[in-house]
């Protein structure tokens, strides 16, 4: 499974995707923008544009759009228009500046995340002293979104068997990836070469300048940590207070990252199973985590042979059931829902697992999908060479993936084939990020994080010349705002006065 997965569920639970802004209304303010130092002459007009802030129909928020070059190598060519939203610092206390937030994905709507969670759920003392700001990355949600498939086409795509048993099923899966890629090229061919993380980081620097901030203050989760680290690599002197929570490791090639993530979900499942088997009504047995894993694999195999009804137009297939289980691994608060869903499925009702899978894919009840899946693949396939060049390479990797996760290994192996037929050549490569000269950067890792394994946080903190690692001993994806006073206090102190926690600090 590739790193298109990390924050999909958090973006859904905390962001509600693209439902919160229907548009912007009358002008409320116009900000004059200082020119940024050391800006290439060709980009000066972009750094000198004016942001026209408007009421956007969500109480307490303003919206605007920002222009950026579609292709930074050709800044005199076409523009791309990017959606921005903010809410002003509430006080009391002296305003520090703007705090940009990104929920990850890639493909999660930062504007949706800001308006439905960050500007409400972040600690009051942080919101008091920062303007809370979000920009939907290029190709995402309100920022000229990548589009690939219709709703019915996506329904078919998500039901394709991701544990092929023979050559016919392998070819069917490969064809599905090809059809997905060709749909993206047909509907969004102009933007596909220009949705890389590097380009989005450059967009963030432009926004920093337009907001009047000398340095960028930022909280990024999951993929947002890769975006933040990339910003630090490009603009180390402009790094302010960067929180990178649920860190990714930029030095890993795609196949290694996928295998690590496979192991991460196995770790999370074992934690869920250990909790489940203590309960008399655990649908996976009550003896051991190994027994629970065996029973779940048997359940998946049964669905592979015969899907079950869900009360909807779609049956619960093995692929959808697997994604339903995966969805619940992101947050331990979803474990009771998963137990209920598995119990229902044992009785022939697949609706609970289907609901979890739909949340993972950001499918609406009316059968439409947010663009997260499309943007997610577009960004990942541009940022790194594909994990596998073809189906044969994926088949050869099966043993290693299944060793990393007996439960999810086969599914995650074949899911990592999705970039093999991408129509745009990748522009990025795996590499270490040091960001020499940057102010202190805070990297946060969770020991049983399924999507961004803890060792990635250790690695990123080690790579960054000014990195400090903060550890949360616990379950779930990311740590800030998840109930640990120790974590929240350390991050709040860093955001408010710039002081990172002592090296090696651990919280529970």
């Amino acid at each position: 499974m590739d790193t298109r997965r990390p924050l999909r569920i958090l973006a859904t639970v905390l962001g509600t995707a693209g439902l919160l802004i229907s548009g912007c209304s009358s002008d409320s303010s116009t900000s004059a923008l200082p020119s940024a130092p050391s800006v290439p002459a060709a980009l000066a007009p972009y750094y000198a544009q004016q942001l026209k802030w408007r009421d956007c129909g969500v109480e307490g928020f303003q919206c605007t759009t920002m222009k950026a070059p579609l292709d930074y190598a050709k800044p005199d060519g076409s523009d791309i228009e990017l959606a921005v939203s903010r809410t002003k610092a509430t006080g009391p206390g002296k305003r520090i500046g703007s705090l940009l937030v990104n929920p990850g994905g890639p493909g999660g709507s930062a504007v949706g995340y800001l308006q439905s969670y960050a500007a409400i759920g972040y600690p009051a003392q942080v919101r008091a002293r920062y303007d809370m700001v979000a920009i939907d990355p290029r190709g995402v949600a309100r920022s000229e979104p990548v589009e690939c498939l219709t709703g019915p086409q996506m329904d078919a795509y998500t039901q394709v068997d991701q544990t092929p048993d023979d050559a016919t099923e392998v070819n069917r899966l490969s064809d599905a990836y090809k059809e997905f890629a060709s749909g993206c090229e047909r509907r969004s061919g102009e933007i596909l070469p220009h949705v890389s993380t590097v380009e989005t980081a450059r967009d963030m620097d432009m926004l920093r300048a337009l907001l009047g901030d000398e340095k960028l203050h930022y909280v990024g989760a999951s993929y947002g940590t890769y975006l933040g680290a990339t910003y630090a690599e490009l603009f180390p002197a402009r790094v302010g207070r960067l929180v990178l929570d649920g860190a990714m490791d930029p030095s890993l090639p795609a196949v290694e990252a996928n295998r690590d993530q496979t192991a991460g979900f196995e770790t999370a499942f074992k934690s869920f199973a250990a909790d489940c088997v203590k309960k008399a009504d655990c649908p996976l047995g009550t003896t051991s985590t190994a027994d629970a894993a065996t029973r779940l694999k048997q359940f998946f195999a049964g669905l592979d042979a015969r899907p079950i009804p869900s009360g909807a137009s779609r049956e619960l297939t093995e692929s959808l059931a697997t994604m339903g289980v995966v969805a619940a691994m992101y947050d331990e608060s979803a474990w009771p829902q998963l137990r209920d869903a598995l119990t229902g499925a044992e009785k022939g009702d697949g609706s609970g697992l289907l609901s979890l899978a739909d949340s993972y894919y950001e499918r609406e009840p009316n059968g439409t999908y947010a663009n997260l899946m499309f943007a997610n693949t577009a960004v990942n396939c541009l940022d790194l060479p594909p994990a596998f060049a073809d189906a044969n390479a994926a088949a050869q990797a099966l043993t290693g993936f299944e060793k990393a996760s007996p439960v999810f290994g086969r599914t995650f192996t074949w899911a990592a084939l999705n970039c093999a037929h991408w129509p745009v050549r990748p522009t990025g490569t795996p590499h270490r990020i040091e960001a020499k000269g940057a102010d202190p950067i805070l990297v946060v890792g969770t020991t049983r994080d399924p999507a961004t394994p803890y060792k990635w946080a250790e690695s990123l903190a080690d790579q960054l010349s000014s990195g400090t690692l903060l550890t949360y001993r616990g379950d779930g994806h990311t740590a800030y705002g998840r109930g640990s006073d120790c974590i929240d206090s350390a991050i709040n102190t860093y955001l408010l006065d710039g002081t990172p926690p002592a090296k090696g600090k651990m919280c529970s």
Side-chain angles (χ1 to χ4, degrees):
M1 175 176 282
D2 61 27
T3 49
R4 63 186 184 151
R5 308 292 188 190
L7 204 59
R8 182 162 302 151
I9 293 308
L10 194 60
T12 302
V13 173
L14 303 183
T16 70
L19 303 178
L20 296 170
I21 299 182
S22 58
C24 294
S25 57
S26 59
D27 286 358
S28 62
S29 65
T30 300
S31 55
L33 307 169
S35 59
S38 305
V39 173
L43 295 179
Y46 290 101
Y47 275 81
Q49 67 185 292
Q50 292 186 332
L51 296 182
K52 297 181 179 180
W53 294 99
R54 310 170 185 89
D55 174 13
C56 51
V58 181
E59 185 177 355
F61 294 91
Q62 294 177 309
C63 293
T64 190
T65 56
M66 180 188 91
K67 290 188 181 297
L70 177 66
D71 184 351
Y72 273 92
K74 299 176 182 177
D76 56 347
S78 300
D79 292 338
I80 187 170
E81 194 168 84
L82 307 173
V84 182
S85 184
R86 74 175 178 187
T87 184
K88 292 292 196 73
T90 60
K94 183 179 178 180
R95 177 183 174 276
I96 295 171
S98 304
L99 182 65
L100 268 67
V101 296
N102 183 282
S109 171
V111 171
Y113 173 75
L114 173 74
Q115 294 184 349
S116 66
Y117 175 70
I120 303 165
Y122 273 35
Q125 61 266 44
V126 173
R127 293 183 282 118
R129 300 189 57 197
Y130 283 100
D131 293 345
M132 302 287 290
V133 181
I135 177 172
D136 274 349
R138 48 178 60 208
V140 173
R142 302 159 182 83
S143 293
E144 303 198 15
V146 172
E147 298 294 344
C148 300
L149 301 178
T150 66
Q153 288 172 330
M154 274 296 294
D155 281 347
Y157 177 77
T158 60
Q159 294 177 75
V160 174
D161 189 351
Q162 290 197 15
T163 57
D165 301 313
D166 54 38
T168 299
E169 291 186 349
V170 169
N171 290 337
R172 189 175 298 137
L173 180 60
S174 294
D175 287 345
Y177 289 139
K178 290 176 185 177
E179 290 169 9
F180 185 97
S182 68
C184 298
E185 184 177 30
R186 185 168 56 254
R187 292 177 171 88
S188 302
E190 183 180 10
I191 196 175
L192 285 189
H194 303 295
V195 293
S196 70
T197 298
V198 166
E199 289 161 308
T200 294
R202 290 181 173 179
D203 296 339
M204 288 203 312
D205 188 64
M206 191 182 300
L207 178 58
R208 170 204 58 78
L210 300 183
L211 293 169
D213 293 332
E214 290 187 6
K215 294 192 174 185
L216 179 80
H217 306 303
Y218 173 81
V219 177
S222 196
Y223 161 79
T225 68
Y226 181 51
L227 177 57
T230 299
Y231 181 90
E233 180 180 40
L234 293 172
F235 308 104
R238 298 174 188 169
V239 167
R241 299 166 193 178
L242 261 62
V243 177
L244 309 180
D245 182 14
M248 290 178 61
D249 183 350
S251 71
L252 297 178
V255 66
E256 190 172 340
N258 277 281
R259 193 164 47 238
D260 280 355
Q261 196 178 60
T262 303
F265 276 93
E266 182 72 14
T267 296
F269 173 75
K270 287 179 178 177
S271 192
F272 161 74
D275 177 75
C276 185
V277 298
K278 296 174 184 176
K279 297 172 170 55
D281 62 347
C282 178
L284 299 177
T286 57
T287 55
S288 68
T289 58
D291 179 53
T294 298
R295 292 185 62 164
L296 184 61
K297 288 174 65 179
Q298 291 170 344
F299 169 68
F300 287 154
L303 290 175
D304 189 26
R306 180 175 295 179
I308 62 175
S310 68
S313 58
R314 295 164 297 148
E315 292 182 313
L316 181 71
T317 63
E318 180 192 17
S319 295
L320 287 170
T322 302
M323 289 305 103
V325 174
V326 165
M329 294 299 99
Y330 282 80
D331 190 335
E332 64 271 28
S333 68
W335 291 357
Q337 182 182 357
L338 176 58
R339 290 197 305 271
D340 289 345
L342 288 168
T343 298
E346 279 193 341
K347 298 176 181 178
D349 177 9
S351 60
L353 283 172
L354 184 64
S355 177
L356 282 166
D358 284 351
S359 73
Y360 182 86
Y361 288 117
E362 292 201 355
R363 183 188 190 273
E364 297 298 327
N366 65 3
T368 61
Y369 287 76
N371 98 300
L372 187 147
M373 281 284 291
F374 311 140
N376 184 283
T377 304
V379 174
N380 280 309
C381 294
L382 200 57
D383 276 351
L384 286 177
F388 304 123
D390 53 35
N392 289 333
Q396 292 172 8
L398 276 169
T399 299
F401 275 68
E402 289 186 296
K403 182 178 180 180
S405 174
V407 175
F408 302 114
R410 287 185 64 81
T411 295
F412 286 20
T413 304
W414 291 107
L417 186 62
N418 70 322
C419 289
H421 306 291
W422 198 244
V424 182
R425 293 179 62 85
T427 56
T429 58
H431 63 284
R432 291 175 58 85
I433 291 181
E434 298 181 2
K436 292 180 179 178
D439 284 352
I441 297 173
L442 182 57
V443 179
V444 187
T446 298
T447 54
R448 294 186 296 278
D449 190 315
T452 51
Y454 176 66
K455 69 178 184 178
W456 289 1
E458 292 179 304
S459 178
L460 181 60
D462 181 66
Q463 292 171 47
L464 291 166
S465 62
S466 60
T468 294
L469 177 63
L470 173 64
T471 299
Y472 173 56
R473 292 194 188 98
D475 296 294
H477 185 39
T478 73
Y480 191 35
R482 288 174 50 84
S484 169
D485 291 340
C486 175
I487 288 288
D488 291 355
S489 177
I491 293 176
N492 294 342
T493 297
Y494 169 73
L495 287 174
L496 294 174
D497 66 22
T499 304
K503 288 187 179 297
K505 183 174 179 63
M506 293 197 173
C507 296
S508 298

